[in-house]
Amino acid sequence: MWSGEQKASAIRCSPRWRTRRTRTSPSCSPQWEHVAAEAATPAGSSISPGSQWGPWTRQGKMCSSRQNAARRAPGTSCARQPSSRSIAFPHQEQLSVDCAAMSSEQLRIIVLEGDETGQELLEQALRVLEPDVLKVDLELEHFDLSLENRRETSNEVVTEAAAAMREARFGLKAATITPEGKDDVGSPNRLLREAIDGKVIIRTGRRIPGVTPVAGVHYPIAVVRMAVGDAYGAEERREQQNGDEVAYRTEKISRSVCRAVAEYSFRTAERIHGRVYGGPKWTVSPVYEGMLKEELDAAAERHPEVQYTPVLIDATYAGLIGGAADAPLVIPALNRDGDCLSDLVMPMFGSIAGAESVLLAFDEDYDAKAVMAEAPHGTAPALLGKDIANPMAMILAGAAVLHYAGELGHDGCDTASRAIYESVLEAVATGVRTPDLGGHAATSEFTTEVISRVSTKIDVWSSL
């Protein structure tokens, strides 16, 4: 139950489902600023350590009980360099330390709250994003995308959230419930993807230290799928024919989305020194699925240095299970195929909660103009309130948002992103694991371990 003050605070918020929380690190002392400015890059890293330190203050009011729970619970592009990391993150691009300019604009992230265990995991990820952990100034603007609120607002909250994301460029989303009824509010994911002009979703399975993968898989496997179109949002109908009921579905894909999937797949493979592998069922569907194959072939000509192995989708599944790859793989896919593929690839590395999912909207040069990251799994109602769900994917989703913010010049974000990625994988490597990975750590316990490691890394890197 809310107190009178909490109710009054909620009434003051406009619109009702939205609130803004600013997290600020004040400027450092002159002496510490000098040390941070002269700090060297950590060994083996191309990321400059963050330089914002000190206590922080929060401005604004909390406007929902779920945000109160979260509080209580513990434009300039930089030159790209080939990755030299020991752990490959295919959606990431390395940044040069000699960027000419950094953004002075405060980082603003749109937080899309969700349902059941999805919301609980989001709250854990927000613990890691606290400025006293990351030493990064950021502003969080919350939208309640729970099923109850989507129904109450007739999806207006989703429209408002998408508009805010287009402006802010960054979003972090919890898992949400998609109701089954055809006359219900439907999936917020499809609405968000369409509203921000999302073209590509990338989900990368990668080795989880200390966890034995399936089928001897060691190299990363990135699934690059269409974000819109295909089976999602298709027009459907049923008719009676000769005493039988027949269902029809009219699907569509566009060349611009096919081209984005193909181009991003080859750019990703080039960054991680991998191979573009797989494809649609172009032999059976040369007009519809053949469009993606045409764009993949064209991208292969533009990127002759990238190894390209086109394989039909059914053979792609068989190949993933039947033999370990000798290099990182990037698999381009239609929307429906990619959804199914990622649900296969993630468990091959130990858990569907082992990696993040990133939605990307592009400018004309295929640079990201809007980013929304989330966990690839659902709301896991059976785990609600048990404090045993794996928060890895949701925490890594926050790291992915920070990575892209760093790309766009937000000071300290790329350092914070790398610290989170390393800390999550190191925590698992040392045996701090949730039950899905064969461990005994609680959700909150795992997050606390990650926070401790992130804080230590940033402290150490700033002193080098």
Short mmCIF file of all heavy atoms in Angstrom, two decimals, residues 382-415:
data_model
loop_
_atom_site.label_atom_id
_atom_site.label_comp_id
_atom_site.label_asym_id
_atom_site.label_seq_id
_atom_site.Cartn_x
_atom_site.Cartn_y
_atom_site.Cartn_z
N ALA A 382 6.91 -18.79 -13.18
CA ALA A 382 7.18 -19.83 -12.18
C ALA A 382 8.28 -19.41 -11.21
O ALA A 382 8.39 -19.96 -10.11
CB ALA A 382 7.56 -21.14 -12.86
N LEU A 383 9.11 -18.44 -11.60
CA LEU A 383 10.22 -18.00 -10.75
C LEU A 383 9.91 -16.72 -9.98
O LEU A 383 10.76 -16.23 -9.23
CB LEU A 383 11.47 -17.77 -11.61
CG LEU A 383 11.95 -18.96 -12.45
CD1 LEU A 383 13.21 -18.57 -13.22
CD2 LEU A 383 12.21 -20.17 -11.58
N LEU A 384 8.72 -16.18 -10.17
CA LEU A 384 8.38 -14.90 -9.56
C LEU A 384 8.50 -14.94 -8.04
O LEU A 384 7.97 -15.83 -7.39
CB LEU A 384 6.95 -14.52 -9.96
CG LEU A 384 6.41 -13.20 -9.40
CD1 LEU A 384 7.22 -12.02 -9.92
CD2 LEU A 384 4.93 -13.03 -9.77
N GLY A 385 9.24 -13.99 -7.50
CA GLY A 385 9.37 -13.84 -6.06
C GLY A 385 10.29 -14.83 -5.38
O GLY A 385 10.44 -14.80 -4.16
N LYS A 386 10.96 -15.69 -6.13
CA LYS A 386 11.81 -16.72 -5.53
C LYS A 386 13.28 -16.32 -5.44
O LYS A 386 14.08 -17.02 -4.83
CB LYS A 386 11.69 -18.03 -6.33
CG LYS A 386 10.28 -18.62 -6.30
CD LYS A 386 10.21 -19.93 -7.08
CE LYS A 386 8.81 -20.51 -7.04
NZ LYS A 386 8.71 -21.78 -7.82
N ASP A 387 13.67 -15.24 -6.08
CA ASP A 387 15.05 -14.75 -6.03
C ASP A 387 16.05 -15.79 -6.53
O ASP A 387 17.15 -15.92 -6.00
CB ASP A 387 15.41 -14.31 -4.60
CG ASP A 387 16.65 -13.40 -4.56
OD1 ASP A 387 16.90 -12.69 -5.55
OD2 ASP A 387 17.36 -13.41 -3.53
N ILE A 388 15.67 -16.51 -7.58
CA ILE A 388 16.58 -17.53 -8.13
C ILE A 388 16.80 -17.37 -9.63
O ILE A 388 17.61 -18.08 -10.21
CB ILE A 388 16.08 -18.96 -7.85
CG1 ILE A 388 14.70 -19.20 -8.48
CG2 ILE A 388 16.06 -19.25 -6.35
CD1 ILE A 388 14.24 -20.64 -8.39
N ALA A 389 16.09 -16.45 -10.27
CA ALA A 389 16.24 -16.28 -11.71
C ALA A 389 17.62 -15.70 -12.04
O ALA A 389 18.21 -14.95 -11.26
CB ALA A 389 15.15 -15.36 -12.25
N ASN A 390 18.12 -16.04 -13.22
CA ASN A 390 19.44 -15.59 -13.65
C ASN A 390 19.34 -14.16 -14.20
O ASN A 390 18.66 -13.93 -15.20
CB ASN A 390 19.97 -16.52 -14.74
CG ASN A 390 21.41 -16.25 -15.10
OD1 ASN A 390 21.95 -15.18 -14.80
ND2 ASN A 390 22.06 -17.21 -15.75
N PRO A 391 20.02 -13.18 -13.58
CA PRO A 391 19.94 -11.79 -14.05
C PRO A 391 20.99 -11.43 -15.08
O PRO A 391 21.09 -10.26 -15.48
CB PRO A 391 20.16 -11.00 -12.76
CG PRO A 391 21.14 -11.83 -11.99
CD PRO A 391 20.79 -13.28 -12.32
N MET A 392 21.79 -12.41 -15.55
CA MET A 392 22.89 -12.09 -16.45
C MET A 392 22.44 -11.30 -17.67
O MET A 392 23.02 -10.26 -18.02
CB MET A 392 23.58 -13.38 -16.92
CG MET A 392 24.51 -14.01 -15.93
SD MET A 392 25.26 -15.53 -16.61
CE MET A 392 26.19 -14.86 -18.00
N ALA A 393 21.42 -11.80 -18.37
CA ALA A 393 21.02 -11.17 -19.62
C ALA A 393 20.54 -9.74 -19.40
O ALA A 393 20.85 -8.84 -20.19
CB ALA A 393 19.91 -12.00 -20.28
N MET A 394 19.82 -9.51 -18.32
CA MET A 394 19.30 -8.17 -18.06
C MET A 394 20.43 -7.22 -17.68
O MET A 394 20.45 -6.06 -18.10
CB MET A 394 18.24 -8.23 -16.96
CG MET A 394 17.32 -7.04 -16.90
SD MET A 394 16.24 -6.93 -18.34
CE MET A 394 16.72 -5.33 -18.98
N ILE A 395 21.38 -7.70 -16.91
CA ILE A 395 22.53 -6.86 -16.55
C ILE A 395 23.37 -6.55 -17.79
O ILE A 395 23.82 -5.41 -17.99
CB ILE A 395 23.38 -7.55 -15.47
CG1 ILE A 395 22.58 -7.67 -14.16
CG2 ILE A 395 24.69 -6.79 -15.23
CD1 ILE A 395 23.28 -8.48 -13.09
N LEU A 396 23.57 -7.56 -18.64
CA LEU A 396 24.33 -7.34 -19.86
C LEU A 396 23.59 -6.43 -20.83
O LEU A 396 24.22 -5.72 -21.63
CB LEU A 396 24.64 -8.68 -20.53
CG LEU A 396 25.61 -9.59 -19.77
CD1 LEU A 396 25.77 -10.91 -20.50
CD2 LEU A 396 26.95 -8.93 -19.56
N ALA A 397 22.27 -6.42 -20.77
CA ALA A 397 21.51 -5.48 -21.59
C ALA A 397 21.84 -4.05 -21.20
O ALA A 397 22.00 -3.17 -22.06
CB ALA A 397 20.01 -5.75 -21.44
N GLY A 398 21.97 -3.80 -19.91
CA GLY A 398 22.39 -2.48 -19.47
C GLY A 398 23.79 -2.14 -19.96
O GLY A 398 24.07 -1.00 -20.37
N ALA A 399 24.68 -3.14 -19.96
CA ALA A 399 26.03 -2.91 -20.46
C ALA A 399 26.02 -2.59 -21.95
O ALA A 399 26.80 -1.75 -22.42
CB ALA A 399 26.90 -4.15 -20.21
N ALA A 400 25.13 -3.24 -22.71
CA ALA A 400 25.04 -2.96 -24.14
C ALA A 400 24.59 -1.53 -24.41
O ALA A 400 25.11 -0.86 -25.30
CB ALA A 400 24.08 -3.95 -24.80
N VAL A 401 23.62 -1.06 -23.64
CA VAL A 401 23.17 0.33 -23.80
C VAL A 401 24.33 1.29 -23.54
O VAL A 401 24.54 2.26 -24.28
CB VAL A 401 21.99 0.63 -22.85
CG1 VAL A 401 21.67 2.12 -22.84
CG2 VAL A 401 20.76 -0.17 -23.27
N LEU A 402 25.09 1.03 -22.49
CA LEU A 402 26.23 1.89 -22.18
C LEU A 402 27.28 1.84 -23.28
O LEU A 402 27.92 2.86 -23.58
CB LEU A 402 26.85 1.46 -20.85
CG LEU A 402 26.02 1.73 -19.60
CD1 LEU A 402 26.66 1.07 -18.39
CD2 LEU A 402 25.83 3.22 -19.37
N HIS A 403 27.46 0.68 -23.89
CA HIS A 403 28.42 0.58 -24.98
C HIS A 403 28.06 1.52 -26.13
O HIS A 403 28.90 2.27 -26.63
CB HIS A 403 28.50 -0.85 -25.51
CG HIS A 403 29.14 -0.92 -26.86
ND1 HIS A 403 30.49 -0.76 -27.05
CD2 HIS A 403 28.60 -1.09 -28.09
CE1 HIS A 403 30.76 -0.84 -28.34
NE2 HIS A 403 29.63 -1.04 -29.00
N TYR A 404 26.82 1.47 -26.55
CA TYR A 404 26.40 2.33 -27.65
C TYR A 404 26.42 3.80 -27.25
O TYR A 404 26.71 4.68 -28.06
CB TYR A 404 25.02 1.92 -28.15
CG TYR A 404 25.07 0.66 -28.98
CD1 TYR A 404 24.72 -0.57 -28.43
CD2 TYR A 404 25.49 0.69 -30.30
CE1 TYR A 404 24.77 -1.73 -29.18
CE2 TYR A 404 25.55 -0.47 -31.06
CZ TYR A 404 25.19 -1.68 -30.50
OH TYR A 404 25.26 -2.83 -31.24
N ALA A 405 26.12 4.09 -25.98
CA ALA A 405 26.24 5.46 -25.50
C ALA A 405 27.69 5.93 -25.58
O ALA A 405 27.97 7.08 -25.94
CB ALA A 405 25.72 5.57 -24.07
N GLY A 406 28.61 5.04 -25.26
CA GLY A 406 30.02 5.37 -25.39
C GLY A 406 30.41 5.62 -26.83
O GLY A 406 31.20 6.53 -27.13
N GLU A 407 29.84 4.86 -27.76
CA GLU A 407 30.10 5.08 -29.17
C GLU A 407 29.70 6.48 -29.60
O GLU A 407 30.33 7.08 -30.47
CB GLU A 407 29.31 4.07 -30.01
CG GLU A 407 30.04 2.78 -30.31
CD GLU A 407 29.41 2.08 -31.49
OE1 GLU A 407 28.21 2.26 -31.72
OE2 GLU A 407 30.14 1.37 -32.19
N LEU A 408 28.61 6.97 -29.01
CA LEU A 408 28.11 8.28 -29.38
C LEU A 408 28.73 9.39 -28.54
O LEU A 408 28.27 10.53 -28.58
CB LEU A 408 26.58 8.30 -29.26
CG LEU A 408 25.86 7.37 -30.25
CD1 LEU A 408 24.37 7.37 -29.99
CD2 LEU A 408 26.15 7.78 -31.68
N GLY A 409 29.76 9.05 -27.78
CA GLY A 409 30.55 10.08 -27.12
C GLY A 409 30.21 10.40 -25.69
O GLY A 409 30.70 11.39 -25.15
N HIS A 410 29.38 9.61 -25.03
CA HIS A 410 29.07 9.87 -23.62
C HIS A 410 30.23 9.39 -22.75
O HIS A 410 30.55 8.20 -22.70
CB HIS A 410 27.77 9.18 -23.23
CG HIS A 410 26.55 9.83 -23.81
ND1 HIS A 410 25.97 10.95 -23.27
CD2 HIS A 410 25.81 9.53 -24.92
CE1 HIS A 410 24.92 11.30 -23.99
NE2 HIS A 410 24.80 10.46 -25.01
N ASP A 411 30.84 10.30 -22.06
CA ASP A 411 32.08 10.06 -21.34
C ASP A 411 31.91 8.97 -20.27
O ASP A 411 30.97 9.01 -19.48
CB ASP A 411 32.54 11.37 -20.69
CG ASP A 411 33.98 11.31 -20.23
OD1 ASP A 411 34.69 10.38 -20.65
OD2 ASP A 411 34.39 12.21 -19.47
N GLY A 412 32.82 8.05 -20.25
CA GLY A 412 32.87 7.01 -19.24
C GLY A 412 32.00 5.80 -19.52
O GLY A 412 32.13 4.78 -18.83
N CYS A 413 31.13 5.87 -20.53
CA CYS A 413 30.17 4.79 -20.74
C CYS A 413 30.82 3.53 -21.29
O CYS A 413 30.44 2.41 -20.92
CB CYS A 413 29.06 5.26 -21.68
SG CYS A 413 27.90 6.41 -20.90
N ASP A 414 31.77 3.68 -22.20
CA ASP A 414 32.39 2.48 -22.75
C ASP A 414 33.21 1.74 -21.70
O ASP A 414 33.25 0.51 -21.66
CB ASP A 414 33.27 2.85 -23.95
CG ASP A 414 33.35 1.71 -24.96
OD1 ASP A 414 32.28 1.28 -25.44
OD2 ASP A 414 34.46 1.24 -25.23
N THR A 415 33.85 2.50 -20.83
CA THR A 415 34.58 1.89 -19.72
C THR A 415 33.62 1.14 -18.80
O THR A 415 33.88 0.00 -18.40
CB THR A 415 35.31 2.97 -18.91
OG1 THR A 415 36.19 3.67 -19.76
CG2 THR A 415 36.08 2.36 -17.75
#
